[in-house]
Amino acid sequence: STPSNKVVPTPVGVPSPPVVPAATPNDQMAFVSFLPPFDSGGSPIASYTVTSQPGGITATAVSSPILVMGLTNGTTYTFTVTATNTAGGTSQPSQATQPVTPRVPSGPAPANDNFANAQAISGASGSVSNTNVGATVEPSEPTIQDQAGGASVWYRWTAPTSGTVRFGTCTAYPAMDPNIEAFIGNSVSNITPWGPGPGRDCPANQFGSEVTFIVSANQTIYVKLDGVKFGGNASSPSEGPFTLEWAMQ
């Protein structure tokens, strides 16, 4: 009989690495978020695996973010992510995250620690006193100008009229070093910065941060106040009491 044609196995397609990985530390753990690879290798992505450095601690899940447990508080980590598709192809590791350091919270978390529990404030002007001691950051929470922070609280304000508004701590001399930015959106993973950008340093002889932006009547703005990390992303964020003030101009 005539020999059959030789069957050549189809090579397994390999995905490209996941992109834009970022890590959010907590007590003995970290959430690692990322975006899917640009190329799935010809088959759907089935899972992602995060690996820590140091320690080689791994965690696998089907989507972002992924919780990595068993970390040591006070140790600085970076993380990489690989993608595996249904054909069995596994990508090269992603770019490493910025270094983060898990830590024991310094106290009970404030009531407005999370975006969903943002404290409602109102009026054309006003002030509110609070603390970010014990505050954390959430998975997928956006940073302020790539400053990781790590002890953020949230406020929700609806503009009574159209105009320009300023939020800041400058005249109240906070006992921590804050960073401030305004956002719009409906969830911590679906918000974007609003206005000219993150908070700026205060005028001479004042201390803290402020941000000024334009709003429309009845527009809802979320204001994030976070503690600056004095020693970079691997250090602990600044924590303490503060007074946030706002005024339409």
Side-chain angles (χ1 to χ4, degrees):
S1 61
T2 304
S4 60
N5 293 331
K6 183 178 180 179
V7 176
V8 178
T10 301
V12 173
V14 175
S16 58
V19 294
V20 200
T24 301
N26 210 314
D27 184 7
Q28 301 182 70
M29 64 184 72
F31 287 93
V32 179
S33 60
F34 49 88
L35 295 177
F38 293 118
D39 182 358
S40 68
S43 300
I45 300 299
S47 64
Y48 298 93
T49 298
V50 175
T51 303
S52 75
Q53 290 294 335
I57 299 170
T58 62
T60 299
V62 299
S63 62
S64 171
I66 295 176
L67 176 62
V68 183
M69 303 182 70
L71 305 179
T72 300
N73 287 337
T75 297
T76 298
Y77 294 89
T78 61
F79 301 89
T80 56
V81 188
T82 58
T84 300
N85 61 23
T86 55
T90 297
S91 72
Q92 290 294 311
S94 69
Q95 172 185 339
T97 65
Q98 290 292 318
V100 297
T101 306
R103 62 187 178 93
V104 177
S106 52
N112 58 338
D113 183 28
N114 292 341
F115 176 89
N117 298 324
Q119 181 177 341
I121 55 178
S122 61
S125 64
S127 66
V128 60
S129 295
N130 200 352
T131 180
N132 71 330
V133 172
T136 61
V137 290
E138 302 173 75
S140 302
E141 181 173 328
T143 60
I144 299 178
Q145 201 177 23
D146 295 326
Q147 164 59 249
S152 64
V153 290
W154 290 89
Y155 294 90
R156 184 180 71 253
W157 177 77
T158 300
T161 59
S162 298
T164 300
V165 63
R166 179 188 65 82
F167 279 82
T169 63
C170 296
T171 62
Y173 295 94
M176 45 82 70
D177 193 358
N179 208 356
I180 300 173
E181 189 164 7
F183 295 85
I184 58 171
N186 54 22
S187 70
V188 73
S189 60
N190 187 35
I191 53 175
T192 54
W194 179 255
R200 288 138 175 80
D201 291 338
C202 296
N205 301 319
Q206 296 181 3
F207 177 73
S209 180
E210 66 178 11
V211 62
T212 301
F213 49 91
I214 297 172
V215 291
S216 300
N218 299 316
Q219 182 178 14
T220 296
I221 301 292
Y222 287 86
V223 176
K224 174 181 175 176
L225 186 149
D226 202 353
V228 171
K229 287 189 172 183
F230 296 107
N233 287 333
S235 66
S236 296
S238 176
E239 295 181 317
F242 62 86
T243 297
L244 178 67
E245 303 171 313
W246 66 96
M248 297 201 69
Q249 302 172 348

